[in-house]
Amino acid sequence: MTTASRVRRVAVIAAPPVSMFNLAIPEMLFGKVEVDGGPGYETVICAPDPGPVTTTGGLDLTVPRGLDAVAGADTVILAGSGSYTDPDPRILDALRAAAGAGKRIASICTGAFALAEAGLLDGRAATTYWAYRPLLAARHPAVDLQDDVLYVQDGPVLTSSGYAAGIDLCLHVIRTDHGAAVANTVARLALVAPVRPGGQAQFTQTPLPPERGVSFADTRAWAMEHLDEPLGLTDLARHAGVSVRTLSRRFHAETGVSPLQWLLHQRVERAKELLETTTLPMDALARACGLGTADSLRGHLLRRTGLTPSAYRATFSRLTGSGAGGPGSGGPGTALLVRASRSFTAGGAST
């Protein structure tokens, strides 16, 4: 079995009282990954004390596995918990052991507090839910705490902010392991927004803001089917049955960007998928995603990822068995930050 098709193991730690939504995100997304006709991940939920685990909603969940599951995992994810300021020492020990073994470690929302308490965030860029960032900064001044970000990767350690950012973090992990095409498929199956731009740890990129309306959803879906055509504002407005002025105003209100910015973003994402999944020559690939020429493709991809099309294909192609780096991709001291608009961050959830 090749490295690209190996089933990766994920251990999700439920620290009581755990957030049920935080806990469900990894299982839901990693469980939808299929690579070479088989599952891409095996996800196990574990807890310090196997058995009933309380949740922030007052319900009990039955978690049959103990923290011994961490030893067999490639990636360890700590879900948000109501006990974030008083993490269980057994969880801290498990996290330190995982870090010592070179595993990739991540947290969703307030899970960052336990990572900091374990000493895994000292000197690293990190984030947590916006309302708790001042407390995390006060308790752990050695952490390079980032504001207004969805998630941060610094070497093998990843942290995310509120609820929905945990989805973005998991999709980023899938993209890192299996490429944009697989991650975008998972996003569609889970009925969430397409993968926000990421890349390797040295890249710093701005994602599309979350969509805030659906009146142009049909037009966006239609445009996705016609990215290879020379679409402009007139074409989009005609499909939507509105004037260009109305389209521009309402499209921006729904997506946070102009129609042409949105189109460019989708075309670059399509180019990345085609680079990963086809051997199309660069000029043909550029035409297929609507970027026109190989020179145009090169310029846009360099600005978004820091890689030329040839370098991107060599790094992420699914056809050659190569792929993004493993759990430790990027190395300590380099950080990937995916920034959120303030309206998105302020609307996040608390655990």
Side-chain angles (χ1 to χ4, degrees), residues 120-137:
L120 305 186
L121 300 184
D122 288 354
R124 293 188 184 274
T127 192
T128 190
Y129 176 57
W130 66 270
Y132 299 129
R133 280 201 297 268
L135 179 60
L136 182 60

Side-chain angles (χ1 to χ4, degrees), residues 59-309:
L59 302 176
D60 283 347
L61 298 176
T62 299
V63 178
R65 291 294 302 274
L67 294 178
D68 60 295
V70 171
D74 303 297
T75 299
V76 180
I77 300 177
L78 186 60
S81 168
S83 60
Y84 57 92
T85 58
D86 187 27
D88 190 310
R90 293 171 293 177
I91 292 179
L92 300 182
D93 289 342
L95 291 172
R96 294 185 185 112
K103 300 178 188 298
R104 177 169 52 197
I105 300 175
S107 66
I108 299 176
C109 202
T110 55
F113 279 81
L115 269 59
E117 189 68 28
L120 305 186
L121 300 184
D122 288 354
R124 293 188 184 274
T127 192
T128 190
Y129 176 57
W130 66 270
Y132 299 129
R133 280 201 297 268
L135 179 60
L136 182 60
R139 293 173 67 95
H140 301 283
V143 178
D144 180 13
L145 202 58
Q146 305 294 309
D147 293 329
D148 278 349
V149 298
L150 293 172
Y151 61 85
V152 180
Q153 177 174 353
D154 195 331
V157 181
L158 301 90
T159 52
S160 68
S161 51
Y163 282 135
I167 297 174
D168 289 297
L169 181 146
C170 289
L171 288 173
H172 168 68
V173 168
I174 294 169
R175 186 187 186 286
T176 299
D177 290 343
H178 299 293
V182 173
N184 287 348
T185 296
V186 171
R188 288 191 290 269
L189 289 172
L191 298 178
V192 297
V195 179
R196 296 163 191 263
Q200 294 179 325
Q202 65 268 32
F203 307 154
T204 301
Q205 299 182 341
T206 303
L208 289 180
E211 293 180 359
R212 295 183 290 273
V214 296
S215 66
F216 288 136
D218 287 345
T219 296
R220 291 195 291 272
W222 172 81
M224 291 292 291
E225 297 295 326
H226 296 80
L227 290 178
D228 59 328
E229 300 175 13
L231 298 180
L233 290 176
T234 302
D235 302 294
L236 296 174
R238 183 183 300 115
H239 184 275
V242 297
S243 68
V244 169
R245 182 175 180 180
T246 297
L247 172 85
S248 298
R249 174 175 54 81
R250 288 171 52 188
F251 198 101
H252 191 284
E254 289 189 12
T255 67
V257 294
S258 73
L260 295 183
Q261 288 174 322
W262 182 88
L263 271 175
L264 178 59
H265 173 85
Q266 302 304 337
R267 282 172 166 151
V268 173
E269 287 300 299
R270 177 67 54 80
K272 287 155 66 176
E273 286 196 36
L274 293 176
L275 285 167
E276 294 175 20
T277 59
T278 75
T279 58
L280 281 173
M282 295 307 172
D283 275 318
L285 191 147
R287 291 193 298 271
C289 60
L291 291 176
T293 66
D295 286 341
S296 176
L297 168 65
R298 178 186 175 89
H300 287 301
L301 199 68
L302 269 171
R303 281 191 290 273
R304 295 293 183 94
T305 70
L307 293 178
T308 64

